[in-house]
Amino acid sequence: MRVVTAEEMKKLDQTAIKEYKVPGLVLMENAGRQVVEVIRKVLGNVRGKVITVFVGKGNNGGDGFVIARHLLNMGAEVKVLAIAELDEITGDAATNLNIWRKMGQKVYSLQHGDGINIVRLVLMNTDLIVDAIYGTGFRGKMVEKTGRIVEVLNGSGKPIVAVDIPSGLEADTGKASGPCIQAAHTVTFALPKLGLILEPGADYAGELHVVDISIPAVLIEKEAPQRYLITGEMIKEWLSPRPSDAHKGNFGRVLVVAGSRGMTGAACLVGEAALRAGAGLVTVAVPESLHDIMESKLTEVMTVPLPDTGKGHLSRGARQNILSLLDNADVLALGPGLSTVPEVVAMVRELLPSVRIPCVIDADGLNALAGEVEILRKIQAPVVITPHPGEMARLMDVTTREIQEDRLSIAGKAATIWNVVALLKGARTVVAAPDGAIYINPTGNPGMATGGSGDVLTGVVAALIAQGLNPAQAASAGAYVHGLAGDMGARIKGMIGLTAGDILFNLPAAMMNVVGTD
Ligand SMILES: NC(=O)C1=CN([C@@H]2O[C@H](COP(=O)(O)OP(=O)(O)OC[C@H]3O[C@@H](n4cnc5c(N)ncnc54)[C@H](O)[C@@H]3O)[C@@H](O)[C@H]2O)[C@@H](O)CC1
Ligand SMILES: [K+]
């Protein structure tokens, strides 16, 4: 599903109206009706329920009048309070205000006198609040009095349904620079706005409902930007069902190069995750002195010893062995737990320009490239990098804070400059492809910030490439399934006790949740 900024949505609305001749009033009517449908689900029956609609002066307020009208027609008791002078309301919003008035209904403006006390009084006898104060037209911070009203609404304990976006939230950043509606549900029109997906916006939005308002699908297909929210349906389309006569050769061979003394667990997690995510054959290659330990740790995953420095790290000479192993592999997963000793760094830097199969580079594989990041451009095959913000900061030679400030642009920049798929981990993992497409992952939870979690992700992404997904799809699907496995784990164990092993354990169930039993 595409994700848009306020400006992009406005352009789609305008094109629908001007070029496709869908009247603005029809869009507004559809928008209001769809919110009413969600309210009916939340309340069960609306007849006899008391619903208070807060409207602003813009089109978001216009939606509010449509909502009020339909709820009234359905037998609810509806009050409309305006955070605007009524003569400021124009266009389609004014048309709907006038219908409301013609129906003999009033609108109370809160602009004069003691608005706050009126709000408190009205809320005492309200079952549900509709927030139609500000939508995508909101910028900056609301005036103090409106801010106080918003705080009273939030503190009322009544469920709030936000229209399009919670008032006070910036549609493009997901940030709120002042008071902001804390919604139980947000009903957003046509496409999710970026700010509803990014944190903390996603928290303010509560449960998100994306509803159709008759923006032509062909227009969205043609003009909405290549920025996507990753969904289970998308992944199901990418991952074709397994033929009944399938054999392990159909699902690809993953070579994992990972681990060093003290970090054999990383290599195990990558290998086991690759297998659990559906790769046909998985081989884990580790420094020779660790090989026997790996053989006893792993059952279904094959192991290969590589030249060792004698201290449990790969030696520079391991490069040649790895290149030979690549002849029998479809994808290389490189990096977790390799360590950053100089021999390993040199080996990784010398190896990568000779790799001719898709590779997933993570952790110490990326650390080895800090300062020599142009090596990424020399790899003659598709590459996925999976840095956490600290690793990305080292690669870009900036601070982690700078990375976190604008995660989407940073990932996009990395992808185009280095010609890789860049998967930037963290709350709302972002996947950026070199062609400019951006994918945002909605799954996962803070409990997944635990050692080894990233190793599992590396294995999953590699396994999905092995099964035929393109690197951007594999990275996106990998982030989604990995996050979902973490969410399932957290439901049983809680976030505090969640480990990478729990994520691994839940991978098959997460995969099944997305693609069914195929
Ligand atoms: N034809 C369309 O464009 C459609 C628009 N729709 C609705 O219209 C909304 C967008 O409408 P608008 O563009 O009129 O904008 P809004 O209804 O979001 O209202 C913004 C109004 O508040 C003002 N404002 C902005 N920042 C403010 C601040 N910090 N403090 C006080 N006032 C501030 C703006 O000047 C504007 O008048 C959407 O979110 C959606 O709910 C829907 O009805 C569907 C069709
Ligand atoms: K709103």
Side-chain angles (χ1 to χ4, degrees), residues 282-319:
V282 181
T283 305
V284 175
V286 291
E288 191 165 11
S289 63
L290 308 175
H291 181 252
D292 292 353
I293 309 168
M294 296 299 288
E295 274 217 289
S296 63
K297 278 179 127 176
L298 295 166
T299 313
E300 297 103 327
V301 173
M302 294 175 287
T303 57
V304 177
L306 290 174
D308 192 313
T309 56
K311 291 186 175 162
H313 305 112
L314 291 182
S315 74
R316 213 160 163 167
R319 173 180 175 271

mmCIF file of all heavy atoms in Angstrom, residues 282-319:
data_model
loop_
_atom_site.group_PDB
_atom_site.id
_atom_site.type_symbol
_atom_site.label_atom_id
_atom_site.label_comp_id
_atom_site.label_asym_id
_atom_site.label_seq_id
_atom_site.Cartn_x
_atom_site.Cartn_y
_atom_site.Cartn_z
ATOM 1 N N VAL A 282 21.273 -24.642 3.558
ATOM 2 C CA VAL A 282 22.027 -23.572 4.223
ATOM 3 C C VAL A 282 23.370 -24.127 4.691
ATOM 4 O O VAL A 282 23.433 -25.179 5.331
ATOM 5 C CB VAL A 282 21.250 -23.006 5.431
ATOM 6 C CG1 VAL A 282 22.036 -21.873 6.091
ATOM 7 C CG2 VAL A 282 19.873 -22.514 5.015
ATOM 8 N N THR A 283 24.437 -23.408 4.342
ATOM 9 C CA THR A 283 25.769 -23.788 4.804
ATOM 10 C C THR A 283 26.346 -22.627 5.596
ATOM 11 O O THR A 283 26.289 -21.480 5.131
ATOM 12 C CB THR A 283 26.699 -24.063 3.599
ATOM 13 O OG1 THR A 283 26.080 -25.046 2.784
ATOM 14 C CG2 THR A 283 28.062 -24.547 4.051
ATOM 15 N N VAL A 284 26.865 -22.931 6.777
ATOM 16 C CA VAL A 284 27.501 -21.889 7.580
ATOM 17 C C VAL A 284 29.008 -22.130 7.579
ATOM 18 O O VAL A 284 29.472 -23.222 7.956
ATOM 19 C CB VAL A 284 26.956 -21.890 9.023
ATOM 20 C CG1 VAL A 284 27.714 -20.884 9.880
ATOM 21 C CG2 VAL A 284 25.477 -21.554 9.036
ATOM 22 N N ALA A 285 29.747 -21.133 7.103
ATOM 23 C CA ALA A 285 31.210 -21.250 7.068
ATOM 24 C C ALA A 285 31.793 -20.407 8.183
ATOM 25 O O ALA A 285 31.464 -19.212 8.297
ATOM 26 C CB ALA A 285 31.723 -20.784 5.709
ATOM 27 N N VAL A 286 32.639 -21.045 9.023
ATOM 28 C CA VAL A 286 33.177 -20.353 10.206
ATOM 29 C C VAL A 286 34.685 -20.598 10.325
ATOM 30 O O VAL A 286 35.223 -21.523 9.713
ATOM 31 C CB VAL A 286 32.511 -20.875 11.508
ATOM 32 C CG1 VAL A 286 31.059 -20.449 11.584
ATOM 33 C CG2 VAL A 286 32.644 -22.380 11.629
ATOM 34 N N PRO A 287 35.374 -19.779 11.122
ATOM 35 C CA PRO A 287 36.798 -20.033 11.365
ATOM 36 C C PRO A 287 36.999 -21.472 11.859
ATOM 37 O O PRO A 287 36.217 -21.957 12.691
ATOM 38 C CB PRO A 287 37.162 -19.020 12.451
ATOM 39 C CG PRO A 287 36.155 -17.919 12.288
ATOM 40 C CD PRO A 287 34.901 -18.584 11.832
ATOM 41 N N GLU A 288 38.051 -22.105 11.333
ATOM 42 C CA GLU A 288 38.263 -23.534 11.552
ATOM 43 C C GLU A 288 38.232 -23.949 13.023
ATOM 44 O O GLU A 288 37.620 -24.961 13.380
ATOM 45 C CB GLU A 288 39.622 -23.922 10.948
ATOM 46 C CG GLU A 288 39.838 -25.400 10.888
ATOM 47 C CD GLU A 288 40.988 -25.757 9.964
ATOM 48 O OE1 GLU A 288 41.733 -24.844 9.547
ATOM 49 O OE2 GLU A 288 41.127 -26.944 9.670
ATOM 50 N N SER A 289 38.817 -23.145 13.904
ATOM 51 C CA SER A 289 38.899 -23.559 15.311
ATOM 52 C C SER A 289 37.524 -23.599 15.991
ATOM 53 O O SER A 289 37.395 -24.124 17.091
ATOM 54 C CB SER A 289 39.864 -22.661 16.083
ATOM 55 O OG SER A 289 39.380 -21.329 16.084
ATOM 56 N N LEU A 290 36.543 -23.030 15.317
ATOM 57 C CA LEU A 290 35.196 -23.042 15.911
ATOM 58 C C LEU A 290 34.305 -24.100 15.277
ATOM 59 O O LEU A 290 33.158 -24.303 15.699
ATOM 60 C CB LEU A 290 34.518 -21.678 15.724
ATOM 61 C CG LEU A 290 35.308 -20.458 16.165
ATOM 62 C CD1 LEU A 290 34.556 -19.182 15.808
ATOM 63 C CD2 LEU A 290 35.546 -20.509 17.674
ATOM 64 N N HIS A 291 34.863 -24.758 14.255
ATOM 65 C CA HIS A 291 34.005 -25.612 13.433
ATOM 66 C C HIS A 291 33.345 -26.747 14.219
ATOM 67 O O HIS A 291 32.164 -27.033 14.054
ATOM 68 C CB HIS A 291 34.814 -26.164 12.260
ATOM 69 C CG HIS A 291 33.996 -27.027 11.373
ATOM 70 N ND1 HIS A 291 34.149 -28.396 11.330
ATOM 71 C CD2 HIS A 291 32.974 -26.729 10.534
ATOM 72 C CE1 HIS A 291 33.260 -28.890 10.488
ATOM 73 N NE2 HIS A 291 32.555 -27.903 9.984
ATOM 74 N N ASP A 292 34.113 -27.379 15.111
ATOM 75 C CA ASP A 292 33.549 -28.534 15.827
ATOM 76 C C ASP A 292 32.399 -28.116 16.737
ATOM 77 O O ASP A 292 31.401 -28.826 16.871
ATOM 78 C CB ASP A 292 34.639 -29.251 16.637
ATOM 79 C CG ASP A 292 35.637 -29.923 15.708
ATOM 80 O OD1 ASP A 292 35.369 -29.920 14.467
ATOM 81 O OD2 ASP A 292 36.680 -30.417 16.183
ATOM 82 N N ILE A 293 32.556 -26.930 17.327
ATOM 83 C CA ILE A 293 31.470 -26.431 18.188
ATOM 84 C C ILE A 293 30.209 -26.240 17.345
ATOM 85 O O ILE A 293 29.106 -26.615 17.738
ATOM 86 C CB ILE A 293 31.832 -25.052 18.793
ATOM 87 C CG1 ILE A 293 33.198 -25.094 19.442
ATOM 88 C CG2 ILE A 293 30.773 -24.552 19.754
ATOM 89 C CD1 ILE A 293 33.740 -23.720 19.799
ATOM 90 N N MET A 294 30.413 -25.662 16.150
ATOM 91 C CA MET A 294 29.265 -25.388 15.280
ATOM 92 C C MET A 294 28.588 -26.695 14.872
ATOM 93 O O MET A 294 27.358 -26.764 14.822
ATOM 94 C CB MET A 294 29.712 -24.644 14.018
ATOM 95 C CG MET A 294 30.268 -23.287 14.272
ATOM 96 S SD MET A 294 29.080 -22.188 15.037
ATOM 97 C CE MET A 294 27.997 -21.899 13.671
ATOM 98 N N GLU A 295 29.387 -27.707 14.600
ATOM 99 C CA GLU A 295 28.799 -28.980 14.176
ATOM 100 C C GLU A 295 27.904 -29.558 15.255
ATOM 101 O O GLU A 295 26.871 -30.152 14.972
ATOM 102 C CB GLU A 295 29.905 -29.974 13.828
ATOM 103 C CG GLU A 295 30.347 -29.822 12.397
ATOM 104 C CD GLU A 295 30.660 -31.153 11.770
ATOM 105 O OE1 GLU A 295 31.682 -31.744 12.154
ATOM 106 O OE2 GLU A 295 29.861 -31.592 10.920
ATOM 107 N N SER A 296 28.310 -29.355 16.506
ATOM 108 C CA SER A 296 27.445 -29.914 17.551
ATOM 109 C C SER A 296 26.253 -28.999 17.831
ATOM 110 O O SER A 296 25.218 -29.455 18.292
ATOM 111 C CB SER A 296 28.249 -30.212 18.823
ATOM 112 O OG SER A 296 28.759 -29.025 19.333
ATOM 113 N N LYS A 297 26.392 -27.692 17.517
ATOM 114 C CA LYS A 297 25.267 -26.773 17.761
ATOM 115 C C LYS A 297 24.183 -26.895 16.696
ATOM 116 O O LYS A 297 23.010 -26.643 16.952
ATOM 117 C CB LYS A 297 25.765 -25.320 17.773
ATOM 118 C CG LYS A 297 26.363 -24.877 19.094
ATOM 119 C CD LYS A 297 26.833 -23.446 18.987
ATOM 120 C CE LYS A 297 26.261 -22.608 20.093
ATOM 121 N NZ LYS A 297 26.677 -21.265 20.190
ATOM 122 N N LEU A 298 24.583 -27.185 15.469
ATOM 123 C CA LEU A 298 23.639 -27.149 14.350
ATOM 124 C C LEU A 298 23.322 -28.548 13.842
ATOM 125 O O LEU A 298 24.221 -29.388 13.758
ATOM 126 C CB LEU A 298 24.210 -26.307 13.206
ATOM 127 C CG LEU A 298 24.409 -24.818 13.516
ATOM 128 C CD1 LEU A 298 25.278 -24.159 12.458
ATOM 129 C CD2 LEU A 298 23.062 -24.109 13.621
ATOM 130 N N THR A 299 22.078 -28.789 13.495
ATOM 131 C CA THR A 299 21.694 -30.101 12.978
ATOM 132 C C THR A 299 21.359 -30.038 11.492
ATOM 133 O O THR A 299 22.022 -30.654 10.668
ATOM 134 C CB THR A 299 20.472 -30.644 13.762
ATOM 135 O OG1 THR A 299 20.743 -30.469 15.147
ATOM 136 C CG2 THR A 299 20.236 -32.097 13.460
ATOM 137 N N GLU A 300 20.363 -29.244 11.156
ATOM 138 C CA GLU A 300 19.930 -29.221 9.750
ATOM 139 C C GLU A 300 20.826 -28.356 8.874
ATOM 140 O O GLU A 300 20.808 -28.469 7.655
ATOM 141 C CB GLU A 300 18.490 -28.689 9.636
ATOM 142 C CG GLU A 300 17.443 -29.543 10.313
ATOM 143 C CD GLU A 300 17.013 -28.941 11.641
ATOM 144 O OE1 GLU A 300 17.852 -28.315 12.316
ATOM 145 O OE2 GLU A 300 15.837 -29.115 12.007
ATOM 146 N N VAL A 301 21.576 -27.456 9.510
ATOM 147 C CA VAL A 301 22.434 -26.549 8.748
ATOM 148 C C VAL A 301 23.796 -27.211 8.563
ATOM 149 O O VAL A 301 24.352 -27.790 9.493
ATOM 150 C CB VAL A 301 22.599 -25.223 9.528
ATOM 151 C CG1 VAL A 301 23.614 -24.315 8.869
ATOM 152 C CG2 VAL A 301 21.246 -24.518 9.667
ATOM 153 N N MET A 302 24.339 -27.139 7.325
ATOM 154 C CA MET A 302 25.668 -27.715 7.086
ATOM 155 C C MET A 302 26.744 -26.723 7.535
ATOM 156 O O MET A 302 26.488 -25.520 7.579
ATOM 157 C CB MET A 302 25.828 -28.024 5.603
ATOM 158 C CG MET A 302 24.871 -29.114 5.146
ATOM 159 S SD MET A 302 24.937 -29.374 3.395
ATOM 160 C CE MET A 302 24.124 -27.941 2.794
ATOM 161 N N THR A 303 27.922 -27.236 7.829
ATOM 162 C CA THR A 303 29.004 -26.339 8.273
ATOM 163 C C THR A 303 30.269 -26.597 7.457
ATOM 164 O O THR A 303 30.494 -27.712 6.982
ATOM 165 C CB THR A 303 29.330 -26.548 9.757
ATOM 166 O OG1 THR A 303 29.672 -27.929 9.943
ATOM 167 C CG2 THR A 303 28.158 -26.187 10.647
ATOM 168 N N VAL A 304 31.077 -25.565 7.306
ATOM 169 C CA VAL A 304 32.354 -25.674 6.580
ATOM 170 C C VAL A 304 33.408 -24.887 7.356
ATOM 171 O O VAL A 304 33.138 -23.757 7.766
ATOM 172 C CB VAL A 304 32.237 -25.043 5.164
ATOM 173 C CG1 VAL A 304 33.581 -25.095 4.440
ATOM 174 C CG2 VAL A 304 31.175 -25.717 4.341
ATOM 175 N N PRO A 305 34.605 -25.475 7.556
ATOM 176 C CA PRO A 305 35.665 -24.703 8.225
ATOM 177 C C PRO A 305 36.406 -23.801 7.227
ATOM 178 O O PRO A 305 36.612 -24.187 6.086
ATOM 179 C CB PRO A 305 36.599 -25.792 8.756
ATOM 180 C CG PRO A 305 36.374 -26.971 7.861
ATOM 181 C CD PRO A 305 35.000 -26.869 7.262
ATOM 182 N N LEU A 306 36.789 -22.627 7.683
ATOM 183 C CA LEU A 306 37.557 -21.692 6.846
ATOM 184 C C LEU A 306 38.882 -21.375 7.536
ATOM 185 O O LEU A 306 38.978 -21.462 8.762
ATOM 186 C CB LEU A 306 36.769 -20.384 6.679
ATOM 187 C CG LEU A 306 35.506 -20.416 5.815
ATOM 188 C CD1 LEU A 306 34.793 -19.061 5.892
ATOM 189 C CD2 LEU A 306 35.835 -20.766 4.369
ATOM 190 N N PRO A 307 39.891 -20.969 6.748
ATOM 191 C CA PRO A 307 41.181 -20.636 7.357
ATOM 192 C C PRO A 307 41.034 -19.631 8.499
ATOM 193 O O PRO A 307 40.280 -18.671 8.401
ATOM 194 C CB PRO A 307 41.958 -20.035 6.176
ATOM 195 C CG PRO A 307 41.376 -20.700 4.976
ATOM 196 C CD PRO A 307 39.919 -20.903 5.289
ATOM 197 N N ASP A 308 41.780 -19.900 9.552
ATOM 198 C CA ASP A 308 41.611 -19.239 10.846
ATOM 199 C C ASP A 308 42.931 -18.560 11.209
ATOM 200 O O ASP A 308 44.001 -19.041 10.830
ATOM 201 C CB ASP A 308 41.294 -20.392 11.839
ATOM 202 C CG ASP A 308 40.801 -19.940 13.181
ATOM 203 O OD1 ASP A 308 41.418 -19.040 13.753
ATOM 204 O OD2 ASP A 308 39.799 -20.517 13.655
ATOM 205 N N THR A 309 42.862 -17.461 11.928
ATOM 206 C CA THR A 309 44.112 -16.812 12.382
ATOM 207 C C THR A 309 44.776 -17.609 13.506
ATOM 208 O O THR A 309 45.858 -17.272 13.968
ATOM 209 C CB THR A 309 43.808 -15.413 12.956
ATOM 210 O OG1 THR A 309 42.835 -15.572 13.994
ATOM 211 C CG2 THR A 309 43.305 -14.465 11.904
ATOM 212 N N GLY A 310 44.085 -18.635 13.996
ATOM 213 C CA GLY A 310 44.563 -19.367 15.154
ATOM 214 C C GLY A 310 43.926 -18.844 16.427
ATOM 215 O O GLY A 310 44.029 -19.450 17.485
ATOM 216 N N LYS A 311 43.261 -17.704 16.295
ATOM 217 C CA LYS A 311 42.616 -17.128 17.476
ATOM 218 C C LYS A 311 41.101 -17.097 17.332
ATOM 219 O O LYS A 311 40.408 -16.329 17.997
ATOM 220 C CB LYS A 311 43.135 -15.707 17.696
ATOM 221 C CG LYS A 311 44.589 -15.691 18.120
ATOM 222 C CD LYS A 311 45.004 -14.288 18.473
ATOM 223 C CE LYS A 311 46.441 -14.303 19.011
ATOM 224 N NZ LYS A 311 47.042 -12.997 18.965
ATOM 225 N N GLY A 312 40.602 -17.887 16.404
ATOM 226 C CA GLY A 312 39.148 -17.947 16.248
ATOM 227 C C GLY A 312 38.570 -16.864 15.365
ATOM 228 O O GLY A 312 37.373 -16.567 15.436
ATOM 229 N N HIS A 313 39.429 -16.233 14.499
ATOM 230 C CA HIS A 313 38.924 -15.258 13.526
ATOM 231 C C HIS A 313 39.285 -15.746 12.131
ATOM 232 O O HIS A 313 40.273 -16.455 11.952
ATOM 233 C CB HIS A 313 39.589 -13.889 13.714
ATOM 234 C CG HIS A 313 39.461 -13.354 15.094
ATOM 235 N ND1 HIS A 313 40.530 -13.213 15.943
ATOM 236 C CD2 HIS A 313 38.366 -12.950 15.776
ATOM 237 C CE1 HIS A 313 40.109 -12.725 17.100
ATOM 238 N NE2 HIS A 313 38.796 -12.569 17.021
ATOM 239 N N LEU A 314 38.514 -15.310 11.144
ATOM 240 C CA LEU A 314 38.868 -15.660 9.777
ATOM 241 C C LEU A 314 40.193 -15.000 9.426
ATOM 242 O O LEU A 314 40.440 -13.848 9.780
ATOM 243 C CB LEU A 314 37.802 -15.165 8.794
ATOM 244 C CG LEU A 314 36.450 -15.867 8.861
ATOM 245 C CD1 LEU A 314 35.509 -15.296 7.797
ATOM 246 C CD2 LEU A 314 36.612 -17.377 8.661
ATOM 247 N N SER A 315 41.026 -15.742 8.691
ATOM 248 C CA SER A 315 42.271 -15.124 8.238
ATOM 249 C C SER A 315 42.046 -14.536 6.851
ATOM 250 O O SER A 315 41.054 -14.840 6.182
ATOM 251 C CB SER A 315 43.390 -16.159 8.217
ATOM 252 O OG SER A 315 43.187 -17.014 7.115
ATOM 253 N N ARG A 316 42.995 -13.733 6.433
ATOM 254 C CA ARG A 316 42.882 -13.074 5.126
ATOM 255 C C ARG A 316 42.739 -14.092 4.001
ATOM 256 O O ARG A 316 42.034 -13.892 3.015
ATOM 257 C CB ARG A 316 44.157 -12.254 4.931
ATOM 258 C CG ARG A 316 43.922 -11.025 4.161
ATOM 259 C CD ARG A 316 45.039 -10.050 4.423
ATOM 260 N NE ARG A 316 45.016 -9.043 3.378
ATOM 261 C CZ ARG A 316 45.692 -7.918 3.438
ATOM 262 N NH1 ARG A 316 46.452 -7.663 4.490
ATOM 263 N NH2 ARG A 316 45.619 -7.049 2.451
ATOM 264 N N GLY A 317 43.409 -15.231 4.200
ATOM 265 C CA GLY A 317 43.393 -16.286 3.179
ATOM 266 C C GLY A 317 42.041 -16.953 3.005
ATOM 267 O O GLY A 317 41.826 -17.706 2.052
ATOM 268 N N ALA A 318 41.105 -16.698 3.922
ATOM 269 C CA ALA A 318 39.773 -17.314 3.813
ATOM 270 C C ALA A 318 39.061 -16.872 2.533
ATOM 271 O O ALA A 318 38.148 -17.531 2.043
ATOM 272 C CB ALA A 318 38.928 -16.975 5.032
ATOM 273 N N ARG A 319 39.496 -15.731 1.998
ATOM 274 C CA ARG A 319 38.841 -15.165 0.805
ATOM 275 C C ARG A 319 38.713 -16.197 -0.319
ATOM 276 O O ARG A 319 37.627 -16.382 -0.885
ATOM 277 C CB ARG A 319 39.671 -13.971 0.322
ATOM 278 C CG ARG A 319 39.189 -13.407 -0.994
ATOM 279 C CD ARG A 319 40.064 -12.217 -1.408
ATOM 280 N NE ARG A 319 39.667 -11.755 -2.724
ATOM 281 C CZ ARG A 319 40.167 -12.223 -3.852
ATOM 282 N NH1 ARG A 319 41.090 -13.175 -3.836
ATOM 283 N NH2 ARG A 319 39.736 -11.755 -5.011
#
